[in-house]
Amino acid sequence: MLSSPDLSFSRTLPIVVFNQLGELLEQMAQRVESAALVLTEAVLVRICIPVEWQRQRFTLVVCEQFSALLVGNFEEEQGSRGAGEQGIYSALNAQLTFNLEAIASFIYELRDLFECDSYTHQNLERYRQIIRPNDATLQSQFSLLLLEYLLTQPNQEIIADPSPIGPAVYICQPVEDALKKQISQERLLNQVTTQIRKSLDLPVIMATAITQVREFLELDRLVIYKFAGSQVKARQYQSDIIPLNETALPTDIEPSVREPAEIYFSIHENNGKHSPFVSVNNQPLLGDCQKNGGYIVYEARATDAITSVLNYTEKNCFIRTSQCWEKYRQGFTLAVDDVEKTYALEECLLNFLRECQVRAKLAAPIMFEDKLWGLLIAHQCDRPHEWNDSEKNLLVAIAEQLAIAIHQAELMQTLTQEKQNLEQRVIERTMALRVLSSLRKLLAGSKVNFSLLSVMNCSRL
């Protein structure tokens, strides 16, 4: 059994102070010589968690030389909840502890949340086993950091605007801005909906939609990830910019199975102006995506400096966590503010996201006939991003509209195929009738000749 003195304190802290204490712990983790594990509540966004964990924030640092746990539960302000409103949280009941038993117990509970992910479960158990009493020097360094932080707090509180009359601020400005944003969002959604009603050209619909959404949300990159076995394929589409015999594939992707041509879009902006171009992949990665799940078929980027991930498929990391797709089938929307924190325990996946220049991502499922067709995924590439409800709702709504477009395209594809089959049967039937008619004429001519020959023979006798 682990043992250590009860080095901990509990206090109600403002959210700002709580976050700053978490940053101090992260600074300490960088000073440790051995590799330290740093986890926050962000690691939980990709799994379903109990209610008691949903109102909790934490920062956990674990290594052989220094371990600490900062955990807080939201304290709801009195009178902050109105009818039909979510509570507004301004403070947390926080606890900072260096107690080894408390830290080990917390990791044990955290580990059990990942029962469906054997790799993460084993990884957490491994870190639980390496907890040791903190190095005295490192413990002192953290105490000095904490003391320095506490001493600066009063000075920050005293600083005030010397002018009694500050700049005039319109109190309702935030509300007005939010309404304008909502109106613009609804206008964008209506544009996408109208285009879907007017057009059956799925490639154009998807390419235009992701371009408009990327610009509206000011994203670095917006992609559509298509799962293997999805029925609808893009039709041939002429482009004046890139000939149809060209292929734009990332250099580190190896095409595997040759199939009929499909069209995938890669859209970027040139000098601030929208300049779409089309890339045609005549060798979709069906061999890899059938094994690993799928690949990216549409992409919109803010600038050429952002790495293109068109046709990317991940070969190693998604096999182990294939159960995560079931959440998307149930309508789950994944919001990752910082991949460095959320995937701190997933080294393989984290390295893949780093390679693709993904720092924050938001993913909404595209459902077609109760099946998971693909994902609409937003990327911020250079910095973390806290996704708000407005962004989430828009991405979900656009994904739903894309599902309608896919349904229309699938229906049109089915009708077109049936029409072609019917026309082929008509052609075959017509040809058969012509052959039969010719045969009858031939037989009729043979009978006439036979009759004449019989008459001639009789006259001779």
Side-chain angles (χ1 to χ4, degrees), residues 135-387:
D135 179 84
T137 302
L138 293 176
Q139 186 73 53
S140 300
Q141 289 181 9
F142 179 77
S143 299
L144 291 175
L145 279 176
L146 185 59
L147 182 61
E148 181 181 357
Y149 166 76
L150 294 174
L151 290 176
T152 58
Q153 289 304 103
N155 295 332
Q156 293 177 357
E157 294 177 355
I158 293 173
I159 297 175
D161 189 349
S163 173
I165 302 178
V169 178
Y170 182 36
I171 296 177
C172 295
Q173 189 65 41
V175 177
E176 183 177 336
D177 292 342
L179 288 175
K180 288 181 179 179
K181 187 79 171 179
Q182 182 177 356
I183 292 172
S184 299
Q185 180 172 314
E186 291 176 355
R187 185 181 296 117
L188 172 62
L189 188 58
N190 288 335
Q191 290 175 357
V192 175
T193 304
T194 302
Q195 185 182 26
I196 291 174
R197 290 174 179 172
K198 291 183 177 180
S199 175
L200 294 174
D201 197 330
L202 184 62
V204 173
I205 290 174
M206 288 196 166
T208 304
I210 66 173
T211 302
Q212 293 174 336
V213 174
R214 193 215 64 75
E215 292 175 351
F216 181 81
L217 295 179
E218 298 179 352
L219 301 169
D220 290 335
R221 183 167 54 211
L222 184 64
V223 303
I224 294 179
Y225 182 91
K226 176 183 175 183
F227 287 97
S230 299
Q231 297 298 319
V232 179
K233 292 186 177 181
R235 295 182 287 112
Q236 292 290 349
Y237 181 83
Q238 295 293 333
S239 170
D240 296 332
I241 301 174
I242 292 185
L244 287 177
N245 61 351
E246 290 190 9
T247 301
L249 284 173
T251 56
D252 58 340
I253 299 271
E254 296 181 359
S256 55
V257 180
R258 182 176 294 275
E259 290 287 336
E262 290 189 50
I263 302 207
Y264 305 118
F265 286 76
S266 179
I267 301 168
H268 65 102
E269 294 181 6
N270 187 14
N271 296 327
K273 297 181 180 180
H274 175 58
S275 176
F277 64 89
V278 181
S279 298
V280 181
N281 178 8
N282 290 323
Q283 297 174 325
L285 312 178
L286 294 183
D288 288 334
C289 75
Q290 285 174 354
K291 180 175 66 175
N292 301 318
Y295 55 112
I296 293 172
V297 293
Y298 295 88
E299 173 189 73
R301 290 177 289 151
T303 66
D304 286 336
I306 297 172
T307 302
S308 173
V309 294
L310 187 67
N311 301 315
Y312 263 36
T313 183
E314 205 291 313
K315 299 181 179 180
N316 301 310
C317 305
F318 293 145
I319 301 175
R320 181 181 67 247
T321 57
S322 59
Q323 69 272 9
C324 68
W325 306 133
E326 184 61 32
K327 296 184 301 182
Y328 289 116
R329 293 187 183 95
Q330 298 172 1
F332 177 75
T333 300
L334 175 65
V336 177
D337 298 341
D338 188 349
V339 300
E340 297 291 338
K341 294 181 178 180
T342 300
Y343 300 110
L345 291 168
E346 296 284 343
E347 183 178 359
C348 176
L349 183 55
L350 183 57
N351 289 334
F352 175 73
L353 293 172
R354 288 169 178 167
E355 177 188 348
C356 298
Q357 292 183 332
V358 178
R359 187 62 190 269
K361 69 174 184 176
L362 177 64
I366 301 175
M367 300 294 297
F368 172 62
E369 293 183 344
D370 297 327
K371 296 179 181 179
L372 186 60
W373 186 92
L375 300 173
L376 180 62
I377 309 175
H379 290 162
Q380 287 298 134
C381 298
D382 60 344
R383 64 191 182 280
H385 179 80
E386 186 174 349
W387 304 102

Side-chain angles (χ1 to χ4, degrees), residues 436-454:
L436 182 60
S437 177
S438 299
L439 183 60
R440 285 176 177 175
K441 290 180 180 179
L442 181 62
L443 291 175
S446 299
K447 289 180 180 180
V448 171
N449 294 334
F450 180 76
S451 298
L452 290 174
L453 182 59
S454 299

Side-chain angles (χ1 to χ4, degrees), residues 16-113:
V16 174
V17 176
F18 183 89
N19 292 339
Q20 290 173 338
L21 287 178
E23 293 173 0
L24 290 180
L25 288 176
E26 292 179 13
Q27 291 179 27
M28 278 302 305
Q30 297 174 1
R31 298 188 179 191
V32 177
E33 295 180 358
S34 58
L37 172 69
V38 180
L39 294 181
T40 69
E41 68 280 351
V43 76
L44 301 177
V45 300
R46 56 194 179 90
I47 62 173
C48 298
I49 56 177
V51 177
E52 58 269 20
W53 284 85
Q54 296 176 8
R55 296 181 58 182
Q56 185 171 268
R57 285 190 177 184
F58 65 86
T59 298
L60 172 67
V61 177
V62 178
C63 68
E64 294 182 354
Q65 298 172 292
F66 180 84
S67 299
L69 171 64
L70 175 65
V71 60
N73 292 288
F74 280 111
E75 181 181 76
E76 188 174 342
E77 282 190 338
Q78 295 295 328
S80 62
R81 184 184 293 274
E85 296 181 353
Q86 296 292 329
I88 300 175
Y89 303 104
S90 62
L92 301 97
N93 295 321
Q95 181 183 30
L96 175 63
T97 181
F98 303 96
N99 183 279
L100 302 186
E101 287 87 350
I103 296 173
S105 177
F106 182 85
I107 297 177
Y108 184 85
E109 295 176 4
L110 185 64
R111 182 203 66 179
D112 288 346
L113 296 177

